[in-house]
C-alpha cells in the first residue's frame, strides 16, 4: 500500500518528463512485440516459445510500466481532480426519423470538440462530434436503425447488452465501409436496463472508442415506468459515461502515442465528454446511470463523505431489492444504476463522487436550494431468480483467460474470425465457467463480456455472488485465479463474440466466437 502511494506521488512528478519519452517507447515496443508474435507462430513448440516470449514481453512491459506507472498490474496513473468549473453535458435523446414507425439514424462521424476552453480537439462521435445521443426503446418496440459510416475508415455498430440476432449485433463481421450504410431491424424483448453502443471493427475497436465513439441505450418497460424511481431525464435521472484519456501538447487525442498494449489508461477524467464537470442537483433523490466507458481503467465509485448510496440496477435490469453500498467497482463496459439522496443536504454541503484508490474527485455536486420531486425507492423492483435447475447444471463451456500485453489469449488461442470456438443451442441454458489464470506477475482483472445475451452469475469461487451482482449481467470482472460460473442463454441465433472488455486486449485477440443455432 505504501509503495503504491509513493509510486503515485512519483508518477505525478514525472508525468511531464515521461509523456515526451513515452511516445517513441511505445512504438518500438509494439514493433518488437509483433516480431515476437510471428516467431511464436512459426514455432512448433508453442508452449515453450510462448513462455519465452512472455518473459521477454514482460521485460519490455516492466520498462514501459515503470515509466507509465503500471509497474505491476494494479498501479495505474491517477486521474486529475475535477475542478467543477463546467456543468456536466447531458447527451441528447435521439428522436425517431418519422412518426409512423421507429426508425433511428445513427452516423459515425469525425468532428472537433471544445473539450478545453478555446481549443478544438479532433474527435469521433455519433450524430455529433463527440460521443453519441441516447437511444431510448420500450420493451416490445420494433426498431429500425439506419447506421451510416461517415468516417474515413471501416467501423461497425455494436449494441452492447442488447439481445438481438448475430446479424444485428454489429460484431467484427458486420463491417460498414466508409460512406456505406446498413439498415437493421429488431424487436426489443428484454427488460428495462441501461445498455450502450460502440464500434467493434477487428483490431480497431480501442482507437475508435478512445476517439469518442460511444453512446447509451435505455430500455424502459411497464415495470420501470411504475417503480417510482427518479426518472426525469437530465434532472434526477442522469447518464454518466466515465472515460479517461490522455491529451498531447496540442490537446489532441493521440491514440498511438497514448496506447498501452495492456490497456490504455489516461490521466484526464471525462464524464459525458466533459472535462472538470460538476452536476447541479435539487434536494431530492437522484438516479445516476453509471457506465464505465473507458478502454481499460477500473473505477471504484464512492462518496467523498463515505456516505452510502443505493444500487438499483445491474448491467441488464433492476435488482430485486435495492442494495446499500459505500462503494462500487465497475470494470470496463459494466454499468450500475445508483440512487443518491440529496433531500436532506444543504447548498453548502460538499458532496462529490470520487474514485477510491487514487482518491480523485470525479464529479462534485452543487446542491441547489430547490427541493425536488418526492420520489422513493421501492423495496421490490424485480423478479430475477436463479432456479435450482440452473444451479445444478454441469459446466459445459470452459473459458480460460490468460496473459498480458499483446500475449493475451482465451483457452490458449487468439481471435480468428474464421474459427467458431463454441456452439450453443438457441433458448438452452448452459453453464460457462470462466477462469482467470494468473501469470508470473500475479495477473490482472479481465472484464469478461458475452454479446447478445444477459446472463446470471451462479457463483464466484464457489460462493454466492455479492448481493449487488444478483441481477442480469453482460460483463463480469474476473480477478486473477478466480473462477466464475455463469448461466448463459441466447434468445436469438447467430455468431456472437465473447471477449475481455479491456479494449486493447480485445484488439490483441482476447476474443472468441460462439455460434448459436
Ligand atoms: Cu462492448 Cu464486444 O463489446
Ligand atoms: Cu458487447
Ligand atoms: Cu483482459
Amino acid at each position: 500500500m505504501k509503495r503504491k502511494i509513493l509510486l503515485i506521488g512519483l508518477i505525478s512528478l514525472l508525468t511531464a518528463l515521461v509523456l515526451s519519452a513515452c511516445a517513441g517507447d511505445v512504438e518500438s515496443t509494439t514493433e518488437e512485440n509483433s516480431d515476437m508474435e510471428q516467431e511464436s507462430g512459426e514455432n512448433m513448440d508453442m508452449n515453450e516459445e510462448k513462455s519465452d516470449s512472455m518473459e521477454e514481453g514482460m521485460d519490455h512491459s516492466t520498462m514501459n510500466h515503470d515509466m507509465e506507472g503500471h509497474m505491476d498490474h494494479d498501479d495505474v496513473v491517477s486521474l486529475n481532480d475535477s475542478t467543477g468549473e463546467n456543468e456536466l453535458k447531458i447527451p441528447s435523446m435521439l428522436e425517431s426519423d418519422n412518426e409512423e414507425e421507429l426508425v433511428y439514424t445513427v452516423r459515425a462521424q469525425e468532428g472537433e470538440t471544445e473539450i478545453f476552453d478555446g481549443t478544438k480537439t479532433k474527435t469521433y462521435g455519433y450524430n455529433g462530434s463527440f460521443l453519441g445521443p441516447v437511444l431510448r426503446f420500450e420493451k416490445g418496440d420494433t426498431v429500425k436503425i439506419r447506421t451510416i459510416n461517415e468516417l474515413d475508415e471501416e467501423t461497425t455498430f455494436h449494441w452492447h447488452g442488447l439481445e438481438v440476432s448475430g446479424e444485428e449485433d454489429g460484431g467484427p463481421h458486420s463491417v460498414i465501409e466508409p460512406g456505406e450504410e446498413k439498415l437493421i431491424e429488431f424487436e426489443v424483448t428484454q427488460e428495462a436496463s441501461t445498455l450502450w453502443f460502440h464500434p467493434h471493427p477487428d483490431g480497431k475497436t480501442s482507437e475508435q472508442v478512445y476517439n469518442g465513439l460511444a453512446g447509451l441505450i435505455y430500455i424502459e418497460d411497464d415495470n420501470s415506468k411504475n417503480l417510482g424511481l427518479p426518472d426525469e431525464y437530465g434532472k434526477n435521472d442522469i447518464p454518466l459515461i466515465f472515460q479517461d484519456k490522455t491529451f498531447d501538447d496540442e490537446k489532441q487525442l493521440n491514440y498511438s502515442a497514448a496506447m498501452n498494449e495492456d490497456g490504455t489508461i489516461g490521466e484526464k477524467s471525462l464524464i459525458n465528454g466533459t472535462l472538470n464537470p460538476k452536476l447541479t442537483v435539487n434536494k431530492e433523490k437522484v438516479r445516476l446511470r453509471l457506465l464505465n466507458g473507458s478502454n481499460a481503467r477500473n473505477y471504484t465509485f464512492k462518496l467523498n463523505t463515505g456516505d452510502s448510496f443505493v444500487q438499483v440496477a445491474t448491467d441488464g435490469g433492476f435488482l430485486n431489492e435495492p442494495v446499500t453500498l459505500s462503494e462500487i467497482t465497475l470494470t470496463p463496459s459494466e454499468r450500475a444504476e445508483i440512487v443518491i439522496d440529496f433531500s436532506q443536504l444543504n447548498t453548502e454541503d460538499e458532496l462529490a463522487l470520487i474514485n477510491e484508490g487514487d482518491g480523485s474527485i470525479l464529479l462534485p455536486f452543487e446542491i441547489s436550494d430547490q427541493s425536488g420531486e418526492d420520489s422513493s425507492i421501492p423495496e421490490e423492483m424485480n423478479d430475477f431468480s436463479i432456479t435450482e435447475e440452473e444451479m445444478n447444471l454441469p459446466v459445459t463451456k470452459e473459458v480460460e483467460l490468460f496473459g498480458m500485453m499483446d500475449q493475451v489469449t482465451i483457452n490458449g488461442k487468439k481471435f480468428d474470425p474464421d474459427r467458431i470456438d463454441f456452439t450453443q443451442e438457441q433458448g438452452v441454458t448452459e453453464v460457462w465457467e470462466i477462469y482467470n489464470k494468473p501469470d508470473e506477475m500475479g495477473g490482472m482483472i479481465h472484464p469478461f463480456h458475452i454479446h447478445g445475451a444477459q446472463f446470471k452469475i451462479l457463483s464466484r469461487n464457489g460462493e454466492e455472488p455479492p448481493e449487488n451482482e444478483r441481477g442480469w449481467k453482460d460483463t463480469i470482472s474476473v480477478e486473477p485465479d478466480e473462477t466464475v460460473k455463469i448461466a448463459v442463454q441466447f434468445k436469438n441465433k447467430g455468431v456472437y463474440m465473447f471477449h475481455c472488455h479491456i479494449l486493447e486486449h480485445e484488439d490483441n485477440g482476447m476474443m472468441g466466437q460462439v455460434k448459436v443455432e
Side-chain angles (χ1 to χ4, degrees):
M1 212 48 211
K2 262 214 183 102
R3 211 184 92 230
K4 194 169 172 182
I5 292 164
L6 270 173
L7 200 84
I8 288 169
L10 203 73
I11 290 153
S12 17
L13 282 170
L14 289 180
T15 303
L17 276 166
V18 166
L19 275 179
S20 51
C22 261
D25 221 81
V26 169
E27 259 172 48
S28 64
T29 309
T30 311
E31 268 174 42
E32 279 164 38
N33 277 345
S34 57
D35 282 345
M36 274 163 27
E37 203 183 302
Q38 274 172 19
E39 273 169 41
S40 62
E42 282 160 19
N43 204 295
M44 288 303 287
D45 194 348
M46 288 295 283
N47 275 332
E48 230 189 82
E49 183 61 31
K50 206 164 90 193
S51 64
D52 276 346
S53 51
M54 270 309 281
E55 258 153 49
E56 254 185 76
M58 244 169 281
D59 284 340
H60 298 302
S61 67
T62 313
M63 252 168 50
N64 241 345
H65 279 190
D66 243 305
M67 305 189 61
E68 290 181 351
H70 294 217
M71 196 74 164
D72 55 41
H73 291 310
D74 37 36
D75 285 322
V76 292
V77 67
S78 25
L79 286 168
N80 69 297
D81 282 330
S82 171
T83 59
E85 62 197 72
N86 300 313
E87 188 65 38
L88 178 79
K89 291 193 188 93
I90 303 290
S92 62
M93 280 272 176
L94 189 63
E95 301 279 327
S96 173
D97 292 352
N98 64 59
E99 273 163 26
E100 295 85 68
E101 48 173 8
L102 296 170
V103 200
Y104 298 92
T105 300
V106 181
R107 304 164 192 273
Q109 57 190 74
E110 284 170 35
E112 291 182 323
T113 308
E114 198 174 326
I115 297 169
F116 297 85
D117 274 349
T119 308
K120 293 212 154 59
T121 301
K122 288 202 174 69
T123 49
Y124 280 6
Y126 291 116
N127 300 6
S129 70
F130 199 27
L131 300 175
V134 177
L135 301 181
R136 188 180 177 281
F137 306 143
E138 295 214 12
K139 185 178 177 180
D141 281 351
T142 297
V143 173
K144 288 183 186 168
I145 307 178
R146 236 178 107 212
T147 55
I148 307 177
N149 180 7
E150 291 180 354
L151 304 171
D152 284 335
E153 56 178 327
E154 58 179 44
T155 193
T156 81
F157 295 74
H158 169 55
W159 321 100
H160 179 125
L162 198 65
E163 296 181 320
V164 291
S165 77
E167 285 286 302
E168 268 81 35
D169 178 69
H173 296 292
S174 309
V175 167
I176 302 181
E177 299 293 338
E180 304 279 295
E181 60 176 84
K182 183 186 175 189
L183 185 74
I184 59 164
E185 181 177 334
F186 55 86
E187 200 189 321
V188 180
T189 56
Q190 70 203 90
E191 63 186 62
S193 46
T194 305
L195 316 175
W196 65 303
F197 61 104
H198 63 77
H200 222 296
D202 193 13
K204 294 282 280 177
T205 300
S206 6
E207 182 165 7
Q208 291 190 0
V209 173
Y210 192 80
N211 286 341
L213 289 181
L216 288 165
I217 302 170
Y218 285 9
I219 297 177
E220 303 292 347
D221 61 12
D222 290 342
N223 183 34
S224 69
K225 286 186 275 182
N226 290 313
L227 283 177
L229 284 168
D231 62 357
E232 272 183 78
Y233 182 70
K235 270 195 101 181
N236 59 19
D237 182 356
I238 313 285
L240 297 176
I241 304 172
F242 293 87
Q243 296 180 315
D244 57 326
K245 300 185 194 290
T246 299
F247 295 86
D248 68 12
D249 295 345
E250 267 76 57
K251 300 203 166 65
Q252 299 301 314
L253 291 168
N254 186 343
Y255 180 74
S256 48
M259 199 271 256
N260 183 315
E261 295 281 3
D262 226 5
T264 301
I265 302 278
E267 71 230 340
K268 289 271 186 280
S269 163
L270 299 176
I271 309 181
N272 302 346
T274 320
L275 185 67
N276 292 318
K278 71 154 185 263
L279 176 64
T280 305
V281 294
N282 291 333
K283 293 182 191 175
E284 61 180 334
K285 293 195 181 68
V286 175
R287 171 178 178 185
L288 304 177
R289 305 193 191 213
L290 314 175
L291 160 65
N292 181 343
S294 74
N295 281 41
R297 180 185 286 273
N298 300 324
Y299 286 85
T300 297
F301 302 101
K302 208 181 155 173
L303 289 168
N304 59 333
T305 53
D307 286 342
S308 58
F309 51 84
V310 159
Q311 184 180 353
V312 295
T314 54
D315 295 337
F318 291 107
L319 289 158
N320 286 355
E321 293 151 27
V323 176
T324 302
L325 298 169
S326 57
E327 59 177 58
I328 181 171
T329 299
L330 296 180
T331 60
S333 90
E334 282 189 293
R335 285 90 60 212
E337 294 182 32
I338 63 170
V339 177
I340 300 176
D341 191 355
F342 293 93
S343 60
Q344 306 306 318
L345 296 177
N346 295 311
T347 46
E348 60 279 1
D349 282 329
E350 290 192 358
L351 200 67
L353 206 56
I354 63 168
N355 185 26
E356 162 73 16
D358 60 18
S360 56
I361 299 169
L362 298 170
L363 185 64
F365 298 105
E366 185 170 312
I367 301 156
S368 82
D369 53 8
Q370 315 259 323
S371 54
E373 232 184 85
D374 192 20
S375 57
S376 63
I377 305 169
E379 278 309 307
E380 269 178 52
M381 300 183 296
N382 208 347
D383 57 359
F384 175 88
S385 70
I386 296 175
T387 63
E388 201 53 41
E389 201 193 326
E390 286 165 336
M391 278 312 284
N392 293 326
L393 284 174
V395 171
T396 42
K397 303 260 185 291
E398 285 181 69
V399 173
E400 186 184 87
L401 310 171
F402 182 66
M404 58 184 291
M405 307 298 281
D406 67 351
Q407 306 291 320
V408 283
T409 56
I410 294 185
N411 292 341
K413 291 176 236 163
K414 282 188 174 289
F415 178 64
D416 176 350
D418 299 323
R419 184 189 68 232
I420 296 295
D421 299 274
F422 291 145
T423 55
Q424 186 163 332
E425 215 178 303
Q426 179 189 24
V428 173
T429 303
E430 286 198 42
V431 174
W432 294 39
E433 187 178 82
I434 325 299
Y435 174 57
N436 180 353
K437 184 177 164 191
D439 59 36
E440 293 88 335
M441 288 174 79
M444 62 193 289
I445 293 176
H446 296 288
F448 181 74
H449 167 55
I450 307 177
H451 284 207
Q454 292 291 334
F455 52 75
K456 302 173 181 178
I457 305 181
L458 302 177
S459 65
R460 285 188 173 274
N461 280 335
E463 309 276 325
E464 229 188 327
E467 270 183 83
N468 70 323
E469 285 193 327
R470 296 178 204 163
W472 293 109
K473 295 284 293 167
D474 55 52
T475 309
I476 41 163
S477 75
V478 191
E479 301 264 350
D481 209 26
E482 189 180 24
T483 301
V484 186
K485 276 196 206 179
I486 57 177
V488 186
Q489 189 190 114
F490 295 91
K491 290 186 196 153
N492 302 285
K493 292 186 183 173
V495 173
Y496 298 100
M497 304 298 127
F498 55 88
H499 60 89
C500 174
H501 220 290
I502 291 176
L503 296 179
E504 285 74 15
H505 284 182
E506 177 199 318
D507 280 343
N508 284 333
M510 201 171 196
M511 179 156 75
Q513 308 190 81
V514 53
K515 184 172 186 188
V516 180
E517 12 184 40

